Amino acid sequence: QKEVEQDPGPLSVPEGAIVSLNCTYSNSAFQYFMWYRQYSRKGPELLMYTYSSGNKEDGRFTAQVDKSSKYISLFIRDSQPSDSATYLCATHQAGTALIFGKGTTLSVSS
Amino acid sequence: DAGVTQSPTHLIKTRGQHVTLRCSPISGHKSVSWYQQVLGQGPQFIFQYYEKEERGRGNFPDRFSARQFPNYSSELNVNALLLGDSALYLCASSLGPPPQETQYFGPGTRLLVL
């Protein structure tokens, strides 16, 4: 079993839709959870960073962590064509390297 | 301010050759990490350097090596290239030792091994 599982999609939605992106992880010791956005032919860009369980909101983006079910989510409200990218979840425990999911490719059509 | 820069942007090599990839961190950042991203996969950790010392190594063969220079720039070297080494190689820098410190990624070097 991979440490971080993420459905690669692709996911296609119309402009204005609410997007839900999800990952599961296997190691209960993971404490830090991140979402990165990667545009084509670019490096990943950090979107959201959360520690332990709970919600974090930043503009149109909300990150959720449920440690009891080992489930990580990213919600995008009022999606825009500029949100079209690959979204990578990542996690780690203290002192260890980042472990990434495969990434989900999102396409938002106008 | 300039972000993380990597050179070259693209590279084509043949099997058995050697390659050197270069990374310049954001000014003031003392830590550099290297990742390999194969098409359709997430980045996979290769090395981490902080203050010129190796702080972590991923599950990669000894053909992969790296170093960090006094100006905090870094090189990733890969010997005896295999077809499976074809990937996007990403460099990330942070102020202090990751992963607690936010890592900022460069655009990557796209390596194709024929």
Side-chain angles (χ1 to χ4, degrees):
Chain A
Q1 180 189 9
K2 285 197 171 235
E3 290 190 281
V4 180
E5 300 273 7
Q6 184 175 10
D7 184 343
L11 182 61
S12 295
V13 301
E15 184 176 356
I18 296 174
V19 176
S20 172
L21 303 168
N22 308 292
C23 290
T24 59
Y25 62 94
S26 58
N27 189 342
S28 57
F30 290 144
Q31 300 168 287
Y32 304 87
F33 304 93
M34 283 136 280
W35 284 95
Y36 283 83
R37 177 174 62 195
Q38 186 173 23
Y39 290 113
S40 181
R41 304 198 172 276
K42 300 281 188 182
E45 167 196 13
L46 181 65
L47 270 180
M48 303 288 283
Y49 186 109
T50 54
Y51 171 71
S52 195
S53 281
N55 292 1
K56 186 173 184 179
E57 189 173 321
D58 184 2
R60 296 184 295 111
F61 298 89
T62 299
Q64 272 186 3
V65 177
D66 182 347
K67 292 197 76 179
S68 62
S69 59
K70 300 191 184 72
Y71 203 77
I72 316 164
S73 300
L74 178 70
F75 299 96
I76 307 174
R77 291 184 298 281
D78 187 26
S79 56
Q80 304 294 310
S82 58
D83 296 328
S84 298
T86 296
Y87 290 80
L88 297 152
C89 62
T91 182
H92 68 89
Q93 53 185 311
T96 65
L98 285 176
I99 300 170
F100 284 87
K102 278 187 176 183
T104 300
T105 300
L106 171 67
S107 177
V108 181
S109 56
S110 56
Chain B
D1 283 344
V4 177
T5 58
Q6 292 186 243
S7 63
T9 54
H10 296 82
L11 204 50
I12 299 175
K13 292 285 189 178
T14 56
R15 280 177 296 176
Q17 284 190 313
H18 162 270
V19 69
T20 297
L21 310 180
R22 295 178 175 83
C23 171
S24 292
I26 292 171
S27 178
H29 285 195
K30 298 182 178 180
S31 181
V32 167
S33 298
W34 287 95
Y35 293 80
Q36 180 196 65
Q37 187 175 21
V38 173
L39 194 63
Q41 301 292 321
Q44 189 173 357
F45 171 70
I46 310 175
F47 284 110
Q48 177 197 114
Y49 278 80
Y50 175 65
E51 287 282 16
K52 291 151 281 182
E53 289 190 3
E54 183 182 304
R55 288 291 197 97
R57 174 185 287 248
N59 188 23
F60 279 81
D62 291 343
R63 300 184 296 107
F64 288 76
S65 63
R67 54 181 175 167
Q68 187 176 33
F69 298 99
N71 66 354
Y72 302 108
S73 67
S74 178
E75 279 184 358
L76 175 70
N77 294 282
V78 187
N79 293 322
L81 285 167
L82 303 174
L83 295 180
D85 295 330
S86 295
L88 179 68
Y89 288 85
L90 294 161
C91 172
S93 78
S94 56
L95 275 170
Q100 286 86 341
E101 292 281 347
T102 299
Q103 295 187 64
Y104 297 87
F105 284 84
T109 293
R110 196 165 294 276
L111 172 66
L112 178 61
V113 182
L114 300 175

mmCIF file of all heavy atoms in Angstrom, chain A residues 2 32 34 36 38 41-46 49 88 92-98 100-103, chain B residues 10 35 37 40-45 48 88 90 98-108 110:
data_model
loop_
_atom_site.group_PDB
_atom_site.id
_atom_site.type_symbol
_atom_site.label_atom_id
_atom_site.label_comp_id
_atom_site.label_asym_id
_atom_site.label_seq_id
_atom_site.Cartn_x
_atom_site.Cartn_y
_atom_site.Cartn_z
ATOM 1 N N LYS A 2 0.609 2.164 -0.945
ATOM 2 C CA LYS A 2 1.382 3.401 -0.995
ATOM 3 C C LYS A 2 1.052 4.238 0.231
ATOM 4 O O LYS A 2 -0.054 4.196 0.761
ATOM 5 C CB LYS A 2 1.031 4.157 -2.264
ATOM 6 C CG LYS A 2 1.657 3.541 -3.494
ATOM 7 C CD LYS A 2 1.639 4.512 -4.650
ATOM 8 C CE LYS A 2 2.472 3.923 -5.772
ATOM 9 N NZ LYS A 2 3.511 4.833 -6.199
ATOM 10 N N TYR A 32 1.792 16.731 9.329
ATOM 11 C CA TYR A 32 1.756 17.948 8.538
ATOM 12 C C TYR A 32 1.199 17.603 7.165
ATOM 13 O O TYR A 32 1.601 16.613 6.546
ATOM 14 C CB TYR A 32 3.164 18.531 8.398
ATOM 15 C CG TYR A 32 3.852 18.788 9.716
ATOM 16 C CD1 TYR A 32 4.582 17.785 10.342
ATOM 17 C CD2 TYR A 32 3.768 20.022 10.336
ATOM 18 C CE1 TYR A 32 5.201 18.010 11.555
ATOM 19 C CE2 TYR A 32 4.396 20.261 11.542
ATOM 20 C CZ TYR A 32 5.111 19.249 12.155
ATOM 21 O OH TYR A 32 5.724 19.469 13.356
ATOM 22 N N MET A 34 -0.100 19.147 3.272
ATOM 23 C CA MET A 34 0.012 20.254 2.336
ATOM 24 C C MET A 34 -0.714 19.959 1.036
ATOM 25 O O MET A 34 -0.891 18.781 0.669
ATOM 26 C CB MET A 34 1.494 20.497 1.992
ATOM 27 C CG MET A 34 2.250 21.219 3.070
ATOM 28 S SD MET A 34 3.869 20.456 3.335
ATOM 29 C CE MET A 34 3.426 19.061 4.346
ATOM 30 N N TYR A 36 -0.224 21.276 -2.948
ATOM 31 C CA TYR A 36 0.545 22.033 -3.918
ATOM 32 C C TYR A 36 -0.235 22.084 -5.232
ATOM 33 O O TYR A 36 -0.935 21.145 -5.599
ATOM 34 C CB TYR A 36 1.902 21.363 -4.188
ATOM 35 C CG TYR A 36 2.941 21.577 -3.115
ATOM 36 C CD1 TYR A 36 2.971 20.781 -1.981
ATOM 37 C CD2 TYR A 36 3.899 22.583 -3.245
ATOM 38 C CE1 TYR A 36 3.938 20.981 -0.996
ATOM 39 C CE2 TYR A 36 4.876 22.784 -2.271
ATOM 40 C CZ TYR A 36 4.874 21.973 -1.159
ATOM 41 O OH TYR A 36 5.835 22.169 -0.193
ATOM 42 N N GLN A 38 0.414 22.573 -9.369
ATOM 43 C CA GLN A 38 1.479 22.515 -10.368
ATOM 44 C C GLN A 38 0.889 22.748 -11.751
ATOM 45 O O GLN A 38 0.121 21.932 -12.262
ATOM 46 C CB GLN A 38 2.201 21.155 -10.321
ATOM 47 C CG GLN A 38 3.415 21.078 -11.226
ATOM 48 C CD GLN A 38 4.212 19.794 -11.054
ATOM 49 O OE1 GLN A 38 3.694 18.773 -10.599
ATOM 50 N NE2 GLN A 38 5.488 19.823 -11.394
ATOM 51 N N ARG A 41 4.491 22.220 -16.944
ATOM 52 C CA ARG A 41 5.885 22.620 -17.166
ATOM 53 C C ARG A 41 6.399 23.625 -16.137
ATOM 54 O O ARG A 41 7.301 24.424 -16.419
ATOM 55 C CB ARG A 41 6.076 23.158 -18.587
ATOM 56 C CG ARG A 41 5.642 22.170 -19.639
ATOM 57 C CD ARG A 41 6.189 22.459 -21.013
ATOM 58 N NE ARG A 41 5.880 21.379 -21.925
ATOM 59 C CZ ARG A 41 6.618 20.272 -22.042
ATOM 60 N NH1 ARG A 41 7.709 20.120 -21.334
ATOM 61 N NH2 ARG A 41 6.276 19.325 -22.888
ATOM 62 N N LYS A 42 5.797 23.584 -14.942
ATOM 63 C CA LYS A 42 6.264 24.436 -13.845
ATOM 64 C C LYS A 42 6.517 23.569 -12.614
ATOM 65 O O LYS A 42 6.077 22.415 -12.539
ATOM 66 C CB LYS A 42 5.200 25.484 -13.493
ATOM 67 C CG LYS A 42 4.825 26.410 -14.627
ATOM 68 C CD LYS A 42 5.849 27.490 -14.818
ATOM 69 C CE LYS A 42 5.351 28.514 -15.814
ATOM 70 N NZ LYS A 42 6.359 29.573 -16.066
ATOM 71 N N GLY A 43 7.207 24.144 -11.632
ATOM 72 C CA GLY A 43 7.385 23.446 -10.365
ATOM 73 C C GLY A 43 6.150 23.588 -9.489
ATOM 74 O O GLY A 43 5.329 24.482 -9.697
ATOM 75 N N PRO A 44 5.978 22.719 -8.495
ATOM 76 C CA PRO A 44 4.832 22.825 -7.577
ATOM 77 C C PRO A 44 4.890 24.119 -6.757
ATOM 78 O O PRO A 44 5.958 24.578 -6.378
ATOM 79 C CB PRO A 44 4.995 21.602 -6.670
ATOM 80 C CG PRO A 44 5.886 20.660 -7.420
ATOM 81 C CD PRO A 44 6.795 21.530 -8.214
ATOM 82 N N GLU A 45 3.703 24.653 -6.463
ATOM 83 C CA GLU A 45 3.558 25.891 -5.691
ATOM 84 C C GLU A 45 2.687 25.573 -4.476
ATOM 85 O O GLU A 45 1.598 25.001 -4.625
ATOM 86 C CB GLU A 45 2.894 26.937 -6.571
ATOM 87 C CG GLU A 45 2.398 28.170 -5.882
ATOM 88 C CD GLU A 45 1.422 28.948 -6.750
ATOM 89 O OE1 GLU A 45 0.949 28.423 -7.769
ATOM 90 O OE2 GLU A 45 1.126 30.090 -6.377
ATOM 91 N N LEU A 46 3.156 25.920 -3.280
ATOM 92 C CA LEU A 46 2.405 25.605 -2.069
ATOM 93 C C LEU A 46 1.118 26.427 -2.002
ATOM 94 O O LEU A 46 1.139 27.652 -2.104
ATOM 95 C CB LEU A 46 3.257 25.890 -0.831
ATOM 96 C CG LEU A 46 2.597 25.575 0.499
ATOM 97 C CD1 LEU A 46 2.344 24.073 0.638
ATOM 98 C CD2 LEU A 46 3.456 26.075 1.660
ATOM 99 N N TYR A 49 -1.221 24.709 3.925
ATOM 100 C CA TYR A 49 -0.375 23.965 4.866
ATOM 101 C C TYR A 49 -1.160 23.848 6.164
ATOM 102 O O TYR A 49 -1.556 24.856 6.739
ATOM 103 C CB TYR A 49 0.928 24.727 5.079
ATOM 104 C CG TYR A 49 1.970 24.016 5.904
ATOM 105 C CD1 TYR A 49 3.117 23.529 5.305
ATOM 106 C CD2 TYR A 49 1.831 23.865 7.284
ATOM 107 C CE1 TYR A 49 4.097 22.893 6.035
ATOM 108 C CE2 TYR A 49 2.804 23.219 8.019
ATOM 109 C CZ TYR A 49 3.943 22.745 7.397
ATOM 110 O OH TYR A 49 4.902 22.108 8.131
ATOM 111 N N LEU A 88 -1.402 18.429 -6.014
ATOM 112 C CA LEU A 88 -0.658 17.380 -5.319
ATOM 113 C C LEU A 88 -0.874 17.511 -3.824
ATOM 114 O O LEU A 88 -0.662 18.594 -3.263
ATOM 115 C CB LEU A 88 0.841 17.516 -5.596
ATOM 116 C CG LEU A 88 1.306 17.347 -7.038
ATOM 117 C CD1 LEU A 88 2.585 18.146 -7.277
ATOM 118 C CD2 LEU A 88 1.572 15.884 -7.341
ATOM 119 N N HIS A 92 4.031 14.642 5.823
ATOM 120 C CA HIS A 92 5.254 14.146 6.448
ATOM 121 C C HIS A 92 5.053 14.117 7.946
ATOM 122 O O HIS A 92 4.121 14.713 8.485
ATOM 123 C CB HIS A 92 6.445 15.034 6.081
ATOM 124 C CG HIS A 92 6.384 16.413 6.669
ATOM 125 N ND1 HIS A 92 6.908 16.727 7.910
ATOM 126 C CD2 HIS A 92 5.854 17.567 6.195
ATOM 127 C CE1 HIS A 92 6.697 18.019 8.153
ATOM 128 N NE2 HIS A 92 6.068 18.547 7.135
ATOM 129 N N GLN A 93 5.939 13.403 8.615
ATOM 130 C CA GLN A 93 6.017 13.505 10.069
ATOM 131 C C GLN A 93 7.266 14.306 10.408
ATOM 132 O O GLN A 93 8.075 14.580 9.543
ATOM 133 C CB GLN A 93 6.032 12.112 10.702
ATOM 134 C CG GLN A 93 7.094 11.179 10.143
ATOM 135 C CD GLN A 93 6.982 9.794 10.729
ATOM 136 O OE1 GLN A 93 6.883 9.642 11.943
ATOM 137 N NE2 GLN A 93 7.008 8.783 9.894
ATOM 138 N N ALA A 94 7.384 14.706 11.662
ATOM 139 C CA ALA A 94 8.481 15.580 12.071
ATOM 140 C C ALA A 94 9.827 14.984 11.666
ATOM 141 O O ALA A 94 10.113 13.826 11.932
ATOM 142 C CB ALA A 94 8.438 15.798 13.571
ATOM 143 N N GLY A 95 10.629 15.792 10.996
ATOM 144 C CA GLY A 95 11.982 15.389 10.649
ATOM 145 C C GLY A 95 12.136 14.525 9.419
ATOM 146 O O GLY A 95 13.256 14.159 9.070
ATOM 147 N N THR A 96 11.056 14.213 8.752
ATOM 148 C CA THR A 96 11.172 13.365 7.560
ATOM 149 C C THR A 96 10.852 14.158 6.300
ATOM 150 O O THR A 96 10.333 15.255 6.361
ATOM 151 C CB THR A 96 10.244 12.140 7.637
ATOM 152 O OG1 THR A 96 8.877 12.597 7.624
ATOM 153 C CG2 THR A 96 10.489 11.349 8.900
ATOM 154 N N ALA A 97 11.171 13.565 5.163
ATOM 155 C CA ALA A 97 10.959 14.244 3.889
ATOM 156 C C ALA A 97 9.485 14.229 3.496
ATOM 157 O O ALA A 97 8.705 13.421 3.978
ATOM 158 C CB ALA A 97 11.788 13.565 2.805
ATOM 159 N N LEU A 98 9.131 15.145 2.585
ATOM 160 C CA LEU A 98 7.772 15.189 2.056
ATOM 161 C C LEU A 98 7.462 13.934 1.252
ATOM 162 O O LEU A 98 8.312 13.435 0.518
ATOM 163 C CB LEU A 98 7.611 16.394 1.133
ATOM 164 C CG LEU A 98 7.501 17.771 1.775
ATOM 165 C CD1 LEU A 98 7.447 18.835 0.700
ATOM 166 C CD2 LEU A 98 6.278 17.860 2.665
ATOM 167 N N PHE A 100 4.599 12.755 -1.469
ATOM 168 C CA PHE A 100 3.556 13.305 -2.326
ATOM 169 C C PHE A 100 2.622 12.220 -2.838
ATOM 170 O O PHE A 100 3.027 11.064 -3.025
ATOM 171 C CB PHE A 100 4.180 13.983 -3.549
ATOM 172 C CG PHE A 100 4.799 15.314 -3.284
ATOM 173 C CD1 PHE A 100 6.123 15.410 -2.868
ATOM 174 C CD2 PHE A 100 4.076 16.470 -3.458
ATOM 175 C CE1 PHE A 100 6.702 16.644 -2.630
ATOM 176 C CE2 PHE A 100 4.652 17.713 -3.235
ATOM 177 C CZ PHE A 100 5.969 17.801 -2.817
ATOM 178 N N GLY A 101 1.373 12.618 -3.088
ATOM 179 C CA GLY A 101 0.477 11.777 -3.861
ATOM 180 C C GLY A 101 0.803 11.921 -5.335
ATOM 181 O O GLY A 101 1.675 12.709 -5.726
ATOM 182 N N LYS A 102 0.078 11.149 -6.193
ATOM 183 C CA LYS A 102 0.342 11.183 -7.632
ATOM 184 C C LYS A 102 -0.072 12.497 -8.258
ATOM 185 O O LYS A 102 0.437 12.866 -9.311
ATOM 186 C CB LYS A 102 -0.461 10.082 -8.324
ATOM 187 C CG LYS A 102 0.145 8.725 -8.294
ATOM 188 C CD LYS A 102 -0.689 7.799 -9.177
ATOM 189 C CE LYS A 102 -0.060 6.441 -9.258
ATOM 190 N NZ LYS A 102 -0.801 5.553 -10.162
ATOM 191 N N GLY A 103 -1.013 13.205 -7.644
ATOM 192 C CA GLY A 103 -1.544 14.418 -8.233
ATOM 193 C C GLY A 103 -2.852 14.156 -8.961
ATOM 194 O O GLY A 103 -3.031 13.094 -9.575
ATOM 195 N N HIS B 10 16.123 21.932 -20.114
ATOM 196 C CA HIS B 10 15.913 20.649 -20.785
ATOM 197 C C HIS B 10 17.269 20.024 -21.093
ATOM 198 O O HIS B 10 18.253 20.740 -21.312
ATOM 199 C CB HIS B 10 15.163 20.822 -22.120
ATOM 200 C CG HIS B 10 13.785 21.344 -21.971
ATOM 201 N ND1 HIS B 10 13.503 22.679 -21.827
ATOM 202 C CD2 HIS B 10 12.589 20.703 -21.936
ATOM 203 C CE1 HIS B 10 12.200 22.840 -21.726
ATOM 204 N NE2 HIS B 10 11.623 21.675 -21.783
ATOM 205 N N TYR B 35 14.134 16.548 -5.882
ATOM 206 C CA TYR B 35 13.058 15.585 -6.091
ATOM 207 C C TYR B 35 13.066 15.128 -7.548
ATOM 208 O O TYR B 35 13.418 15.892 -8.446
ATOM 209 C CB TYR B 35 11.682 16.203 -5.796
ATOM 210 C CG TYR B 35 11.443 16.559 -4.352
ATOM 211 C CD1 TYR B 35 11.949 17.732 -3.802
ATOM 212 C CD2 TYR B 35 10.695 15.717 -3.532
ATOM 213 C CE1 TYR B 35 11.730 18.058 -2.480
ATOM 214 C CE2 TYR B 35 10.459 16.032 -2.205
ATOM 215 C CZ TYR B 35 10.975 17.206 -1.693
ATOM 216 O OH TYR B 35 10.753 17.522 -0.379
ATOM 217 N N GLN B 37 10.444 13.737 -10.464
ATOM 218 C CA GLN B 37 9.026 13.583 -10.795
ATOM 219 C C GLN B 37 8.895 12.912 -12.147
ATOM 220 O O GLN B 37 9.113 13.526 -13.188
ATOM 221 C CB GLN B 37 8.291 14.921 -10.790
ATOM 222 C CG GLN B 37 6.792 14.778 -10.957
ATOM 223 C CD GLN B 37 6.046 16.103 -10.843
ATOM 224 O OE1 GLN B 37 6.617 17.172 -11.023
ATOM 225 N NE2 GLN B 37 4.765 16.030 -10.509
ATOM 226 N N GLY B 40 3.289 11.634 -14.669
ATOM 227 C CA GLY B 40 2.097 11.023 -14.098
ATOM 228 C C GLY B 40 2.217 10.668 -12.630
ATOM 229 O O GLY B 40 1.292 10.066 -12.061
ATOM 230 N N GLN B 41 3.340 11.012 -12.003
ATOM 231 C CA GLN B 41 3.555 10.711 -10.593
ATOM 232 C C GLN B 41 3.854 11.986 -9.821
ATOM 233 O O GLN B 41 4.190 13.025 -10.401
ATOM 234 C CB GLN B 41 4.751 9.757 -10.433
ATOM 235 C CG GLN B 41 4.606 8.441 -11.165
ATOM 236 C CD GLN B 41 3.541 7.557 -10.582
ATOM 237 O OE1 GLN B 41 3.371 7.482 -9.366
ATOM 238 N NE2 GLN B 41 2.786 6.870 -11.436
ATOM 239 N N GLY B 42 3.740 11.904 -8.500
ATOM 240 C CA GLY B 42 4.143 13.014 -7.668
ATOM 241 C C GLY B 42 5.659 13.035 -7.485
ATOM 242 O O GLY B 42 6.333 12.039 -7.763
ATOM 243 N N PRO B 43 6.211 14.158 -7.056
ATOM 244 C CA PRO B 43 7.656 14.224 -6.812
ATOM 245 C C PRO B 43 8.092 13.212 -5.752
ATOM 246 O O PRO B 43 7.380 12.978 -4.778
ATOM 247 C CB PRO B 43 7.858 15.657 -6.306
ATOM 248 C CG PRO B 43 6.683 16.422 -6.817
ATOM 249 C CD PRO B 43 5.545 15.446 -6.812
ATOM 250 N N GLN B 44 9.267 12.643 -5.966
ATOM 251 C CA GLN B 44 9.840 11.690 -5.027
ATOM 252 C C GLN B 44 11.166 12.240 -4.504
ATOM 253 O O GLN B 44 12.029 12.643 -5.286
ATOM 254 C CB GLN B 44 10.053 10.337 -5.707
ATOM 255 C CG GLN B 44 10.435 9.220 -4.766
ATOM 256 C CD GLN B 44 10.466 7.866 -5.435
ATOM 257 O OE1 GLN B 44 10.141 7.738 -6.611
ATOM 258 N NE2 GLN B 44 10.882 6.859 -4.693
ATOM 259 N N PHE B 45 11.313 12.234 -3.198
ATOM 260 C CA PHE B 45 12.468 12.830 -2.531
ATOM 261 C C PHE B 45 13.755 12.097 -2.861
ATOM 262 O O PHE B 45 13.824 10.873 -2.784
ATOM 263 C CB PHE B 45 12.219 12.816 -1.021
ATOM 264 C CG PHE B 45 13.397 13.211 -0.185
ATOM 265 C CD1 PHE B 45 13.846 14.520 -0.178
ATOM 266 C CD2 PHE B 45 14.055 12.281 0.594
ATOM 267 C CE1 PHE B 45 14.925 14.895 0.598
ATOM 268 C CE2 PHE B 45 15.131 12.642 1.379
ATOM 269 C CZ PHE B 45 15.571 13.950 1.382
ATOM 270 N N GLN B 48 18.381 15.962 0.587
ATOM 271 C CA GLN B 48 18.165 17.215 1.279
ATOM 272 C C GLN B 48 19.489 17.686 1.853
ATOM 273 O O GLN B 48 20.205 16.906 2.484
ATOM 274 C CB GLN B 48 17.148 17.032 2.397
ATOM 275 C CG GLN B 48 16.896 18.247 3.244
ATOM 276 C CD GLN B 48 16.203 17.850 4.543
ATOM 277 O OE1 GLN B 48 16.761 17.985 5.615
ATOM 278 N NE2 GLN B 48 14.994 17.346 4.424
ATOM 279 N N LEU B 88 11.319 14.826 -14.628
ATOM 280 C CA LEU B 88 11.508 16.228 -14.264
ATOM 281 C C LEU B 88 12.219 16.244 -12.912
ATOM 282 O O LEU B 88 11.732 15.647 -11.947
ATOM 283 C CB LEU B 88 10.152 16.930 -14.158
ATOM 284 C CG LEU B 88 10.175 18.405 -13.771
ATOM 285 C CD1 LEU B 88 10.793 19.251 -14.884
ATOM 286 C CD2 LEU B 88 8.759 18.902 -13.467
ATOM 287 N N LEU B 90 13.320 18.332 -9.804
ATOM 288 C CA LEU B 90 12.919 19.553 -9.115
ATOM 289 C C LEU B 90 13.849 19.856 -7.962
ATOM 290 O O LEU B 90 14.251 18.955 -7.224
ATOM 291 C CB LEU B 90 11.487 19.408 -8.581
ATOM 292 C CG LEU B 90 10.384 19.276 -9.621
ATOM 293 C CD1 LEU B 90 9.128 18.695 -8.986
ATOM 294 C CD2 LEU B 90 10.078 20.620 -10.249
ATOM 295 N N PRO B 98 13.977 21.617 6.018
ATOM 296 C CA PRO B 98 12.613 21.117 5.824
ATOM 297 C C PRO B 98 12.414 19.827 6.603
ATOM 298 O O PRO B 98 13.384 19.302 7.134
ATOM 299 C CB PRO B 98 12.550 20.880 4.319
ATOM 300 C CG PRO B 98 13.966 20.677 3.897
ATOM 301 C CD PRO B 98 14.822 21.446 4.862
ATOM 302 N N PRO B 99 11.249 19.264 6.700
ATOM 303 C CA PRO B 99 10.084 19.758 5.970
ATOM 304 C C PRO B 99 9.253 20.777 6.742
ATOM 305 O O PRO B 99 8.290 21.291 6.196
ATOM 306 C CB PRO B 99 9.288 18.480 5.724
ATOM 307 C CG PRO B 99 9.610 17.629 6.904
ATOM 308 C CD PRO B 99 11.025 17.935 7.284
ATOM 309 N N GLN B 100 9.615 21.069 7.984
ATOM 310 C CA GLN B 100 8.807 22.032 8.728
ATOM 311 C C GLN B 100 8.827 23.399 8.061
ATOM 312 O O GLN B 100 7.844 24.127 8.095
ATOM 313 C CB GLN B 100 9.314 22.164 10.170
ATOM 314 C CG GLN B 100 8.960 20.991 11.045
ATOM 315 C CD GLN B 100 9.967 19.864 10.937
ATOM 316 O OE1 GLN B 100 10.732 19.790 9.971
ATOM 317 N NE2 GLN B 100 9.971 18.969 11.895
ATOM 318 N N GLU B 101 9.940 23.783 7.482
ATOM 319 C CA GLU B 101 10.026 25.045 6.764
ATOM 320 C C GLU B 101 9.398 24.899 5.387
ATOM 321 O O GLU B 101 9.610 23.897 4.704
ATOM 322 C CB GLU B 101 11.493 25.460 6.602
ATOM 323 C CG GLU B 101 12.182 25.826 7.909
ATOM 324 C CD GLU B 101 11.813 27.221 8.373
ATOM 325 O OE1 GLU B 101 11.228 27.982 7.569
ATOM 326 O OE2 GLU B 101 12.094 27.543 9.535
ATOM 327 N N THR B 102 8.666 25.897 4.944
ATOM 328 C CA THR B 102 8.026 25.861 3.632
ATOM 329 C C THR B 102 9.072 25.758 2.537
ATOM 330 O O THR B 102 10.061 26.495 2.531
ATOM 331 C CB THR B 102 7.194 27.123 3.405
ATOM 332 O OG1 THR B 102 6.185 27.182 4.413
ATOM 333 C CG2 THR B 102 6.526 27.100 2.037
ATOM 334 N N GLN B 103 8.845 24.805 1.615
ATOM 335 C CA GLN B 103 9.759 24.623 0.501
ATOM 336 C C GLN B 103 9.204 25.302 -0.741
ATOM 337 O O GLN B 103 8.023 25.172 -1.053
ATOM 338 C CB GLN B 103 9.947 23.129 0.232
ATOM 339 C CG GLN B 103 10.642 22.409 1.386
ATOM 340 C CD GLN B 103 10.962 20.978 1.036
ATOM 341 O OE1 GLN B 103 11.746 20.691 0.142
ATOM 342 N NE2 GLN B 103 10.350 20.054 1.752
ATOM 343 N N TYR B 104 10.067 26.009 -1.439
ATOM 344 C CA TYR B 104 9.704 26.701 -2.672
ATOM 345 C C TYR B 104 10.415 25.996 -3.821
ATOM 346 O O TYR B 104 11.634 25.872 -3.814
ATOM 347 C CB TYR B 104 10.118 28.175 -2.606
ATOM 348 C CG TYR B 104 9.410 28.933 -1.519
ATOM 349 C CD1 TYR B 104 9.918 28.961 -0.220
ATOM 350 C CD2 TYR B 104 8.220 29.600 -1.783
ATOM 351 C CE1 TYR B 104 9.260 29.645 0.781
ATOM 352 C CE2 TYR B 104 7.558 30.298 -0.776
ATOM 353 C CZ TYR B 104 8.083 30.306 0.501
ATOM 354 O OH TYR B 104 7.423 30.972 1.496
ATOM 355 N N PHE B 105 9.623 25.559 -4.799
ATOM 356 C CA PHE B 105 10.162 24.768 -5.890
ATOM 357 C C PHE B 105 10.569 25.627 -7.076
ATOM 358 O O PHE B 105 9.941 26.653 -7.387
ATOM 359 C CB PHE B 105 9.122 23.744 -6.362
ATOM 360 C CG PHE B 105 8.975 22.563 -5.441
ATOM 361 C CD1 PHE B 105 8.161 22.629 -4.328
ATOM 362 C CD2 PHE B 105 9.667 21.386 -5.697
ATOM 363 C CE1 PHE B 105 8.027 21.542 -3.476
ATOM 364 C CE2 PHE B 105 9.541 20.292 -4.861
ATOM 365 C CZ PHE B 105 8.725 20.373 -3.751
ATOM 366 N N GLY B 106 11.617 25.183 -7.753
ATOM 367 C CA GLY B 106 12.002 25.758 -9.027
ATOM 368 C C GLY B 106 11.196 25.132 -10.154
ATOM 369 O O GLY B 106 10.384 24.234 -9.912
ATOM 370 N N PRO B 107 11.436 25.587 -11.400
ATOM 371 C CA PRO B 107 10.667 25.072 -12.538
ATOM 372 C C PRO B 107 11.086 23.681 -12.977
ATOM 373 O O PRO B 107 10.363 23.026 -13.720
ATOM 374 C CB PRO B 107 10.965 26.093 -13.629
ATOM 375 C CG PRO B 107 12.298 26.653 -13.265
ATOM 376 C CD PRO B 107 12.361 26.655 -11.770
ATOM 377 N N GLY B 108 12.231 23.222 -12.496
ATOM 378 C CA GLY B 108 12.676 21.883 -12.825
ATOM 379 C C GLY B 108 13.557 21.815 -14.057
ATOM 380 O O GLY B 108 13.600 22.733 -14.876
ATOM 381 N N ARG B 110 14.047 19.151 -17.166
ATOM 382 C CA ARG B 110 13.439 17.984 -17.805
ATOM 383 C C ARG B 110 14.532 17.174 -18.491
ATOM 384 O O ARG B 110 15.170 17.653 -19.424
ATOM 385 C CB ARG B 110 12.377 18.423 -18.809
ATOM 386 C CG ARG B 110 11.429 17.323 -19.235
ATOM 387 C CD ARG B 110 10.192 17.890 -19.931
ATOM 388 N NE ARG B 110 9.362 18.680 -19.046
ATOM 389 C CZ ARG B 110 8.443 18.191 -18.225
ATOM 390 N NH1 ARG B 110 8.243 16.887 -18.155
ATOM 391 N NH2 ARG B 110 7.716 18.991 -17.476
#
